[in-house]
mmCIF file of all heavy atoms in Angstrom:
data_model
loop_
_atom_site.group_PDB
_atom_site.id
_atom_site.type_symbol
_atom_site.label_atom_id
_atom_site.label_comp_id
_atom_site.label_asym_id
_atom_site.label_seq_id
_atom_site.Cartn_x
_atom_site.Cartn_y
_atom_site.Cartn_z
ATOM 1 N N ASP K 171 0.522 21.312 -18.992
ATOM 2 C CA ASP K 171 1.253 21.462 -20.253
ATOM 3 C C ASP K 171 1.513 22.948 -20.467
ATOM 4 O O ASP K 171 0.632 23.775 -20.218
ATOM 5 C CB ASP K 171 0.405 20.962 -21.432
ATOM 6 C CG ASP K 171 0.156 19.463 -21.402
ATOM 7 O OD1 ASP K 171 1.095 18.708 -21.125
ATOM 8 O OD2 ASP K 171 -0.990 19.062 -21.690
ATOM 9 N N LEU K 172 2.703 23.276 -20.958
ATOM 10 C CA LEU K 172 3.042 24.694 -21.152
ATOM 11 C C LEU K 172 3.175 25.066 -22.617
ATOM 12 O O LEU K 172 3.812 24.359 -23.405
ATOM 13 C CB LEU K 172 4.378 25.024 -20.486
ATOM 14 C CG LEU K 172 4.450 24.950 -18.977
ATOM 15 C CD1 LEU K 172 5.857 25.350 -18.528
ATOM 16 C CD2 LEU K 172 3.400 25.839 -18.313
ATOM 17 N N GLN K 173 2.594 26.210 -22.953
ATOM 18 C CA GLN K 173 2.858 26.910 -24.209
ATOM 19 C C GLN K 173 3.290 28.318 -23.824
ATOM 20 O O GLN K 173 3.087 28.741 -22.678
ATOM 21 C CB GLN K 173 1.595 26.963 -25.090
ATOM 22 C CG GLN K 173 0.951 25.612 -25.389
ATOM 23 C CD GLN K 173 1.644 24.820 -26.483
ATOM 24 O OE1 GLN K 173 2.394 25.360 -27.292
ATOM 25 N NE2 GLN K 173 1.390 23.510 -26.514
ATOM 26 N N MET K 174 3.889 29.046 -24.760
ATOM 27 C CA MET K 174 4.388 30.400 -24.432
ATOM 28 C C MET K 174 3.823 31.430 -25.405
ATOM 29 O O MET K 174 3.829 31.216 -26.618
ATOM 30 C CB MET K 174 5.915 30.416 -24.444
ATOM 31 C CG MET K 174 6.520 31.640 -23.806
ATOM 32 S SD MET K 174 8.254 31.361 -23.276
ATOM 33 C CE MET K 174 9.109 31.609 -24.812
ATOM 34 N N THR K 175 3.356 32.544 -24.846
ATOM 35 C CA THR K 175 2.737 33.592 -25.669
ATOM 36 C C THR K 175 3.806 34.420 -26.393
ATOM 37 O O THR K 175 5.001 34.342 -26.083
ATOM 38 C CB THR K 175 1.894 34.551 -24.804
ATOM 39 O OG1 THR K 175 2.773 35.214 -23.879
ATOM 40 C CG2 THR K 175 0.813 33.805 -24.026
ATOM 41 N N LYS K 176 3.320 35.245 -27.316
ATOM 42 C CA LYS K 176 4.193 36.139 -28.092
ATOM 43 C C LYS K 176 5.019 37.035 -27.170
ATOM 44 O O LYS K 176 6.172 37.358 -27.461
ATOM 45 C CB LYS K 176 3.280 37.001 -28.983
ATOM 46 C CG LYS K 176 3.957 37.836 -30.017
ATOM 47 C CD LYS K 176 2.862 38.553 -30.833
ATOM 48 C CE LYS K 176 3.452 39.523 -31.824
ATOM 49 N NZ LYS K 176 2.361 40.215 -32.555
ATOM 50 N N ASP K 177 4.403 37.428 -26.038
ATOM 51 C CA ASP K 177 5.121 38.278 -25.089
ATOM 52 C C ASP K 177 5.774 37.465 -23.960
ATOM 53 O O ASP K 177 6.083 38.000 -22.890
ATOM 54 C CB ASP K 177 4.223 39.404 -24.553
ATOM 55 C CG ASP K 177 2.855 38.952 -24.076
ATOM 56 O OD1 ASP K 177 2.427 37.820 -24.415
ATOM 57 O OD2 ASP K 177 2.185 39.714 -23.366
ATOM 58 N N GLY K 178 6.033 36.179 -24.229
ATOM 59 C CA GLY K 178 6.902 35.406 -23.338
ATOM 60 C C GLY K 178 6.278 34.947 -22.033
ATOM 61 O O GLY K 178 6.989 34.657 -21.074
ATOM 62 N N GLN K 179 4.948 34.838 -22.004
ATOM 63 C CA GLN K 179 4.283 34.354 -20.788
ATOM 64 C C GLN K 179 3.950 32.874 -20.948
ATOM 65 O O GLN K 179 3.429 32.464 -21.992
ATOM 66 C CB GLN K 179 2.986 35.143 -20.539
ATOM 67 C CG GLN K 179 3.211 36.643 -20.378
ATOM 68 C CD GLN K 179 4.102 36.967 -19.202
ATOM 69 O OE1 GLN K 179 3.853 36.531 -18.087
ATOM 70 N NE2 GLN K 179 5.174 37.711 -19.456
ATOM 71 N N LEU K 180 4.233 32.088 -19.915
ATOM 72 C CA LEU K 180 3.903 30.660 -19.946
ATOM 73 C C LEU K 180 2.444 30.476 -19.558
ATOM 74 O O LEU K 180 2.000 30.973 -18.512
ATOM 75 C CB LEU K 180 4.808 29.889 -18.988
ATOM 76 C CG LEU K 180 6.287 29.889 -19.372
ATOM 77 C CD1 LEU K 180 7.121 29.214 -18.279
ATOM 78 C CD2 LEU K 180 6.516 29.196 -20.721
ATOM 79 N N ILE K 181 1.725 29.758 -20.413
ATOM 80 C CA ILE K 181 0.310 29.474 -20.136
ATOM 81 C C ILE K 181 0.082 27.967 -20.120
ATOM 82 O O ILE K 181 0.867 27.202 -20.676
ATOM 83 C CB ILE K 181 -0.627 30.129 -21.171
ATOM 84 C CG1 ILE K 181 -0.348 29.605 -22.600
ATOM 85 C CG2 ILE K 181 -0.506 31.661 -21.110
ATOM 86 C CD1 ILE K 181 -1.440 29.967 -23.600
ATOM 87 N N ALA K 182 -1.017 27.586 -19.459
ATOM 88 C CA ALA K 182 -1.381 26.170 -19.372
ATOM 89 C C ALA K 182 -2.263 25.829 -20.556
ATOM 90 O O ALA K 182 -3.439 26.213 -20.601
ATOM 91 C CB ALA K 182 -2.113 25.904 -18.061
ATOM 92 N N MET K 183 -1.687 25.150 -21.529
ATOM 93 C CA MET K 183 -2.461 24.729 -22.701
ATOM 94 C C MET K 183 -1.754 23.557 -23.355
ATOM 95 O O MET K 183 -0.529 23.533 -23.418
ATOM 96 C CB MET K 183 -2.614 25.886 -23.685
ATOM 97 C CG MET K 183 -3.548 25.550 -24.844
ATOM 98 S SD MET K 183 -3.930 26.944 -25.917
ATOM 99 C CE MET K 183 -5.022 27.898 -24.867
ATOM 100 N N ASP K 185 -2.346 22.344 -26.708
ATOM 101 C CA ASP K 185 -2.064 22.480 -28.143
ATOM 102 C C ASP K 185 -1.254 23.739 -28.432
ATOM 103 O O ASP K 185 -1.303 24.704 -27.670
ATOM 104 C CB ASP K 185 -3.367 22.566 -28.943
ATOM 105 C CG ASP K 185 -4.243 21.313 -28.815
ATOM 106 O OD1 ASP K 185 -3.858 20.364 -28.105
ATOM 107 O OD2 ASP K 185 -5.334 21.320 -29.420
ATOM 108 N N GLU K 186 -0.581 23.745 -29.588
ATOM 109 C CA GLU K 186 0.138 24.954 -30.025
ATOM 110 C C GLU K 186 -0.820 26.036 -30.500
ATOM 111 O O GLU K 186 -0.430 27.197 -30.603
ATOM 112 C CB GLU K 186 1.100 24.608 -31.175
ATOM 113 C CG GLU K 186 2.396 23.985 -30.711
ATOM 114 C CD GLU K 186 3.258 23.561 -31.880
ATOM 115 O OE1 GLU K 186 3.439 24.349 -32.831
ATOM 116 O OE2 GLU K 186 3.752 22.422 -31.849
ATOM 117 N N ALA K 197 -2.182 30.482 -33.552
ATOM 118 C CA ALA K 197 -1.081 29.951 -32.744
ATOM 119 C C ALA K 197 -0.873 30.775 -31.476
ATOM 120 O O ALA K 197 -0.925 32.010 -31.512
ATOM 121 C CB ALA K 197 0.203 29.949 -33.563
ATOM 122 N N VAL K 198 -0.583 30.086 -30.401
ATOM 123 C CA VAL K 198 -0.270 30.764 -29.131
ATOM 124 C C VAL K 198 0.923 31.710 -29.316
ATOM 125 O O VAL K 198 0.921 32.830 -28.805
ATOM 126 C CB VAL K 198 0.027 29.731 -28.019
ATOM 127 C CG1 VAL K 198 0.522 30.419 -26.758
ATOM 128 C CG2 VAL K 198 -1.194 28.875 -27.733
ATOM 129 N N LYS K 199 1.907 31.279 -30.090
ATOM 130 C CA LYS K 199 3.145 32.076 -30.218
ATOM 131 C C LYS K 199 2.910 33.418 -30.918
ATOM 132 O O LYS K 199 3.746 34.309 -30.831
ATOM 133 C CB LYS K 199 4.228 31.277 -30.951
ATOM 134 C CG LYS K 199 3.996 31.053 -32.425
ATOM 135 C CD LYS K 199 5.243 30.465 -33.076
ATOM 136 C CE LYS K 199 5.031 29.959 -34.494
ATOM 137 N NZ LYS K 199 4.262 30.799 -35.404
ATOM 138 N N ASP K 200 1.775 33.542 -31.613
ATOM 139 C CA ASP K 200 1.456 34.790 -32.314
ATOM 140 C C ASP K 200 0.514 35.681 -31.512
ATOM 141 O O ASP K 200 0.072 36.721 -32.016
ATOM 142 C CB ASP K 200 0.820 34.471 -33.678
ATOM 143 C CG ASP K 200 1.783 33.734 -34.601
ATOM 144 O OD1 ASP K 200 3.008 33.970 -34.486
ATOM 145 O OD2 ASP K 200 1.310 32.914 -35.414
ATOM 146 N N LYS K 201 0.183 35.287 -30.287
ATOM 147 C CA LYS K 201 -0.775 36.056 -29.479
ATOM 148 C C LYS K 201 -0.129 36.531 -28.187
ATOM 149 O O LYS K 201 0.663 35.812 -27.588
ATOM 150 C CB LYS K 201 -1.992 35.179 -29.112
ATOM 151 C CG LYS K 201 -2.801 34.749 -30.298
ATOM 152 C CD LYS K 201 -4.023 33.954 -29.843
ATOM 153 C CE LYS K 201 -4.753 33.370 -31.036
ATOM 154 N NZ LYS K 201 -5.274 34.388 -31.961
ATOM 155 N N THR K 202 -0.520 37.734 -27.779
ATOM 156 C CA THR K 202 -0.075 38.220 -26.472
ATOM 157 C C THR K 202 -0.936 37.570 -25.390
ATOM 158 O O THR K 202 -2.026 37.048 -25.669
ATOM 159 C CB THR K 202 -0.235 39.742 -26.363
ATOM 160 O OG1 THR K 202 -1.639 40.043 -26.480
ATOM 161 C CG2 THR K 202 0.548 40.463 -27.457
ATOM 162 N N LEU K 203 -0.450 37.648 -24.161
ATOM 163 C CA LEU K 203 -1.257 37.124 -23.059
ATOM 164 C C LEU K 203 -2.602 37.850 -22.983
ATOM 165 O O LEU K 203 -3.637 37.228 -22.747
ATOM 166 C CB LEU K 203 -0.500 37.253 -21.731
ATOM 167 C CG LEU K 203 -1.272 36.726 -20.524
ATOM 168 C CD1 LEU K 203 -1.624 35.240 -20.674
ATOM 169 C CD2 LEU K 203 -0.469 36.956 -19.240
ATOM 170 N N ILE K 206 -4.871 36.227 -25.355
ATOM 171 C CA ILE K 206 -5.279 34.896 -24.864
ATOM 172 C C ILE K 206 -6.341 35.040 -23.773
ATOM 173 O O ILE K 206 -7.289 34.262 -23.695
ATOM 174 C CB ILE K 206 -4.050 34.143 -24.296
ATOM 175 C CG1 ILE K 206 -2.986 33.926 -25.371
ATOM 176 C CG2 ILE K 206 -4.463 32.848 -23.592
ATOM 177 C CD1 ILE K 206 -3.138 32.721 -26.239
ATOM 178 N N LYS K 253 6.119 21.893 -23.675
ATOM 179 C CA LYS K 253 5.510 21.475 -24.950
ATOM 180 C C LYS K 253 6.157 22.245 -26.082
ATOM 181 O O LYS K 253 6.414 23.448 -25.943
ATOM 182 C CB LYS K 253 4.019 21.816 -24.948
ATOM 183 C CG LYS K 253 3.129 20.796 -24.278
ATOM 184 C CD LYS K 253 2.769 19.684 -25.232
ATOM 185 C CE LYS K 253 1.892 18.641 -24.578
ATOM 186 N NZ LYS K 253 2.270 17.280 -24.983
ATOM 187 N N SER K 254 6.388 21.578 -27.195
ATOM 188 C CA SER K 254 6.913 22.237 -28.405
ATOM 189 C C SER K 254 8.079 23.163 -28.078
ATOM 190 O O SER K 254 8.082 24.324 -28.498
ATOM 191 C CB SER K 254 5.804 23.047 -29.088
ATOM 192 O OG SER K 254 4.630 22.286 -29.180
ATOM 193 N N PRO K 255 9.092 22.682 -27.354
ATOM 194 C CA PRO K 255 10.161 23.591 -26.924
ATOM 195 C C PRO K 255 10.932 24.204 -28.096
ATOM 196 O O PRO K 255 11.483 25.294 -27.962
ATOM 197 C CB PRO K 255 11.069 22.694 -26.067
ATOM 198 C CG PRO K 255 10.739 21.300 -26.476
ATOM 199 C CD PRO K 255 9.295 21.302 -26.877
ATOM 200 N N VAL K 257 9.603 25.436 -30.636
ATOM 201 C CA VAL K 257 8.823 26.606 -31.079
ATOM 202 C C VAL K 257 9.049 27.795 -30.139
ATOM 203 O O VAL K 257 8.822 28.946 -30.526
ATOM 204 C CB VAL K 257 7.318 26.243 -31.121
ATOM 205 C CG1 VAL K 257 6.444 27.443 -31.475
ATOM 206 C CG2 VAL K 257 7.060 25.093 -32.098
ATOM 207 N N TYR K 258 9.488 27.498 -28.919
ATOM 208 C CA TYR K 258 9.565 28.530 -27.871
ATOM 209 C C TYR K 258 10.957 28.595 -27.256
ATOM 210 O O TYR K 258 11.161 28.159 -26.113
ATOM 211 C CB TYR K 258 8.554 28.223 -26.766
ATOM 212 C CG TYR K 258 7.135 28.024 -27.219
ATOM 213 C CD1 TYR K 258 6.504 26.777 -27.080
ATOM 214 C CD2 TYR K 258 6.401 29.072 -27.767
ATOM 215 C CE1 TYR K 258 5.192 26.592 -27.475
ATOM 216 C CE2 TYR K 258 5.082 28.884 -28.173
ATOM 217 C CZ TYR K 258 4.485 27.647 -28.020
ATOM 218 O OH TYR K 258 3.181 27.471 -28.405
ATOM 219 N N PRO K 259 11.928 29.150 -27.990
ATOM 220 C CA PRO K 259 13.272 29.237 -27.404
ATOM 221 C C PRO K 259 13.232 30.003 -26.078
ATOM 222 O O PRO K 259 12.548 31.031 -25.980
ATOM 223 C CB PRO K 259 14.079 30.006 -28.461
ATOM 224 C CG PRO K 259 13.247 30.056 -29.688
ATOM 225 C CD PRO K 259 11.830 29.751 -29.316
ATOM 226 N N GLY K 260 13.894 29.471 -25.082
ATOM 227 C CA GLY K 260 13.945 30.164 -23.795
ATOM 228 C C GLY K 260 12.875 29.735 -22.813
ATOM 229 O O GLY K 260 12.822 30.219 -21.681
ATOM 230 N N MET K 261 12.004 28.806 -23.215
ATOM 231 C CA MET K 261 10.906 28.469 -22.297
ATOM 232 C C MET K 261 11.420 27.766 -21.034
ATOM 233 O O MET K 261 10.802 27.907 -19.971
ATOM 234 C CB MET K 261 9.801 27.654 -22.992
ATOM 235 C CG MET K 261 10.048 26.178 -23.120
ATOM 236 S SD MET K 261 8.715 25.320 -24.055
ATOM 237 C CE MET K 261 7.209 25.799 -23.215
ATOM 238 N N GLU K 262 12.545 27.045 -21.142
ATOM 239 C CA GLU K 262 13.058 26.338 -19.954
ATOM 240 C C GLU K 262 13.541 27.338 -18.905
ATOM 241 O O GLU K 262 13.246 27.205 -17.708
ATOM 242 C CB GLU K 262 14.189 25.382 -20.346
ATOM 243 C CG GLU K 262 13.754 24.231 -21.240
ATOM 244 C CD GLU K 262 13.680 24.585 -22.723
ATOM 245 O OE1 GLU K 262 14.132 25.706 -23.089
ATOM 246 O OE2 GLU K 262 13.188 23.770 -23.521
ATOM 247 N N GLN K 263 14.295 28.358 -19.356
ATOM 248 C CA GLN K 263 14.769 29.391 -18.420
ATOM 249 C C GLN K 263 13.580 30.108 -17.788
ATOM 250 O O GLN K 263 13.550 30.359 -16.584
ATOM 251 C CB GLN K 263 15.659 30.389 -19.162
ATOM 252 C CG GLN K 263 16.222 31.479 -18.263
ATOM 253 C CD GLN K 263 17.245 30.938 -17.267
ATOM 254 O OE1 GLN K 263 18.254 30.358 -17.657
ATOM 255 N NE2 GLN K 263 16.977 31.130 -15.968
ATOM 256 N N LYS K 264 12.605 30.432 -18.629
ATOM 257 C CA LYS K 264 11.403 31.119 -18.134
ATOM 258 C C LYS K 264 10.697 30.262 -17.075
ATOM 259 O O LYS K 264 10.299 30.771 -16.014
ATOM 260 C CB LYS K 264 10.471 31.387 -19.323
ATOM 261 C CG LYS K 264 9.237 32.149 -18.984
ATOM 262 C CD LYS K 264 9.498 33.630 -18.952
ATOM 263 C CE LYS K 264 8.365 34.368 -18.267
ATOM 264 N NZ LYS K 264 8.650 35.801 -18.126
ATOM 265 N N LEU K 265 10.561 28.984 -17.358
ATOM 266 C CA LEU K 265 9.911 28.079 -16.403
ATOM 267 C C LEU K 265 10.655 28.065 -15.064
ATOM 268 O O LEU K 265 10.045 28.203 -13.998
ATOM 269 C CB LEU K 265 9.845 26.663 -17.004
ATOM 270 C CG LEU K 265 9.481 25.517 -16.060
ATOM 271 C CD1 LEU K 265 8.147 25.759 -15.371
ATOM 272 C CD2 LEU K 265 9.443 24.190 -16.840
#
Side-chain angles (χ1 to χ4, degrees):
D171 293 317
L172 294 181
Q173 305 281 341
M174 194 159 82
T175 63
K176 189 177 175 182
D177 48 344
Q179 301 299 307
L180 295 174
I181 61 167
M183 187 173 287
D185 298 0
E186 280 175 47
V198 173
K199 71 170 169 44
D200 296 329
K201 296 183 187 298
T202 63
L203 180 59
I206 299 275
K253 276 276 179 220
S254 314
V257 176
Y258 306 115
M261 82 184 307
E262 294 83 9
Q263 181 69 58
K264 183 83 195 175
L265 167 57

